[in-house]
Amino acid sequence: MKRSTLIEVLKSFTKQDIKEFGLFIQSAFFNTNQSVVKLFDQIKKQHPEFEDKLIEKRLLFEKAFGKIDFDDSFMRMTVFRIMELVKEFLIIKKLQKDNVLKDTILLEELNERELNNLLMKSIDELEKIIGKQIAKDSETYYTKYKLEYFKNDIKSRDTKMITYKDALNKDLMMEQKYFNTYFFINSLKFFQYFLNQKNYVVNADGYPDFILDMLEYLKLNPEYLIDPELNLYFNLVMLLITNEDIYYSKLYIILFQDKDELKLNSKHNLITVLRNYTQQKIHDGHSEYMNKLFEILKFSLKKEITSLTPSGKYMTETRFMTIVWSGLLVKEFGFTENFIKKYINKIDPEKRQYVSAYNSAKMEFERGEFKKALEYLKNSGQIKNVMYKAASKQLNLMICYELKMFISAEEHIDAFRHFIKTDKLLPEMYKTQCTDFINFFNRLLKLNDKNKKSIYEKEKLISELKSAPQTWLLKKTLEIS
């Protein structure tokens, strides 16, 4: 059972979850199959480790059902039933944590039964709860839309359409407006995710539908942008499309205002886009953005906004790399070293080796400890992230140069160039940066060959590097006598 979905899910359970699920399956309302109870009683004893040898299905079968002959199909069916109950249990756990969702489901049921008095009372209670919320996201507006929908349903059942006061127009418009807001926030949230991925993370084809039409509509109907959540995603998408600093400045201010009117998930997305945009500015030669990037990333650590999602266990390897890179840019070696030690366990265990190896190598390289950097890089193991593959290859070339391993560097150039040419996931922008580095590096290598050295080529390379964001290459070129 070691690879079963059931074991995978139960590993995510806390001790309290295991206890509550045991009570859940003993309830006759949810389960009347005692085989399920008996098998789970044996499985739960192995929580949380679930060692392979202790969850072998024949062993569990014998402990649960005694000395009867092993029946594989019966075992599979019992495991399947436990898994179905786990799904029901998780739904109930979610409802226990989300009172608004629970109350909305209750309203659906009351509306279907046309229990108008209790429905109106429940609507009033839920409106009071929502009214007290400081941060309102797309789900808030979906709930408000549903409340208007239920109120209009009640009215349509009672209305005879005889007098002017029976008209539904105003209420229907509120229902529509709340639904529009829900749709706009969700759509723009997707657009910013897609564009951020396309611009900075992985190469992607296509373009989201309706994006330009929606942005134009919101510009013409600015009353929608009064909502802080919608305003945030509008500006995020505008920044990703236009690359205009006016939107960057607005978003930078929003981040450090740190108002409660934005939910943690939205602050997470704000930091992600600001970080990527700022990093690109630095790559383009705008050194004034170095301290801004460092401040953004320090803010994210202070607010513990470090994982892929607010509820996630792990920090993304690219975010980890960016924090290290930013700390080294502003020469904060102590901060960077402490960060690596403190947060490396926030990286997914399957990725931890190469993340630790690259970032430790990068730090030693910046300290001038090139042999230590090379040793770290050699212990990368299998690199799964395409950005780390490219970054490791580039750092390896730089280390080879500093150690005057020029022959080895020439061999690695060809491998790096082939990787950039054939990889389909690297964003085009990053491919261009890597290609520029390879071409400049190759010319730098040739300047170290006495037979190929040329004062003209050196001056030409220096001139080109001064207008390109390649500080290390420029420094190495200037050092050649």
Side-chain angles (χ1 to χ4, degrees), residues 32 65 68 85 96-97 111 120 235 238 354 358 361 370 385 390 406 412 427 429 443 450:
T32 58
F65 307 116
I68 62 174
L85 287 165
Q96 287 176 337
K97 292 186 289 186
N111 194 45
M120 270 310 303
N235 282 292
M238 289 302 295
Y354 69 79
Y358 171 79
F370 306 122
N385 182 293
F406 299 142
H412 289 305
M429 179 175 59
R443 291 165 63 185
K450 293 180 181 179

Side-chain angles (χ1 to χ4, degrees), residues 223-334:
E223 66 272 14
Y224 279 102
L225 297 177
I226 295 172
D227 175 77
E229 188 94 356
L230 183 49
N231 181 63
L232 170 69
Y233 285 106
F234 173 81
N235 282 292
L236 284 172
V237 172
M238 289 302 295
L239 175 64
L240 290 165
I241 288 177
T242 67
N243 288 318
E244 292 179 7
D245 282 349
I246 185 173
Y247 298 108
Y248 177 86
S249 298
K250 288 180 181 179
L251 292 165
Y252 192 85
I253 291 170
I254 289 172
L255 176 66
F256 286 99
Q257 285 176 337
D258 192 27
K259 291 185 177 179
D260 293 335
E261 60 193 12
L262 292 176
K263 291 200 170 182
L264 187 60
N265 181 63
S266 294
K267 291 180 181 179
H268 177 280
N269 292 334
L270 171 57
I271 287 170
T272 299
V273 173
L274 282 178
R275 179 199 71 200
N276 289 337
Y277 182 86
T278 308
Q279 190 173 349
Q280 183 57 43
K281 280 288 188 179
I282 296 169
H283 276 302
D284 291 342
H286 299 280
S287 58
E288 68 272 18
Y289 281 82
M290 289 181 183
N291 284 317
K292 284 189 174 184
L293 177 61
F294 189 59
E295 291 305 316
I296 290 168
L297 296 173
K298 278 205 305 182
F299 178 86
S300 74
L301 294 176
K302 180 182 177 182
K303 296 295 179 179
E304 298 184 348
I305 307 175
T306 57
S307 58
L308 186 62
T309 61
S311 59
K313 294 190 295 183
Y314 300 124
M315 180 187 296
T316 65
E317 57 265 48
T318 49
R319 175 160 293 191
F320 193 98
M321 178 197 284
T322 304
I323 293 173
V324 169
W325 183 73
S326 174
L328 295 175
L329 271 179
V330 294
K331 306 300 180 185
E332 291 280 353
F333 293 107

